[in-house]
Amino acid sequence: MSKIIETNFGTLVNPERIAKGSASPVTKQGAFYNFSIRLDSEDVREYSFTDRARAEKMRQILISHLAQKISKRA
């Protein structure tokens, strides 16, 4: 269970849910498995892998990193 934190604006947020909402699901396009993650309003990064398991694992890692970044900013 992740921690709910209070932002500078006084609202309560769950950083893990926000991070999961910022990442697209893994989709197959041709020979590649792709997903994107939105770091902020103007920074969207796309990733491509040839193996679905590797794409899913990297997506989870990036979601956890984004959740930590959100926790530190709040």
Side-chain angles (χ1 to χ4, degrees):
M1 181 163 199
S2 74
K3 299 191 299 186
I4 295 177
I5 60 173
E6 186 172 356
T7 64
N8 295 336
F9 304 115
T11 57
L12 298 175
V13 297
N14 184 339
E16 188 170 330
R17 289 189 72 186
I18 292 172
K20 282 183 181 178
S22 297
S24 69
V26 175
T27 58
K28 182 169 180 158
Q29 295 178 350
F32 296 98
Y33 294 94
N34 301 327
F35 71 93
S36 63
I37 190 161
R38 180 180 301 274
L39 298 178
D40 58 30
S41 61
E42 297 179 359
D43 190 8
V44 178
R45 300 194 183 177
E46 296 180 0
Y47 296 91
S48 296
F49 295 89
T50 56
D51 183 18
R52 183 172 187 85
R54 292 179 73 189
E56 292 284 346
K57 184 67 174 172
M58 183 55 75
R59 182 178 177 271
Q60 290 301 320
I61 291 169
L62 291 174
I63 286 172
S64 68
H65 286 218
L66 184 57
Q68 289 174 2
K69 179 181 174 183
I70 293 169
S71 295
K72 290 180 182 179
R73 257 199 293 181

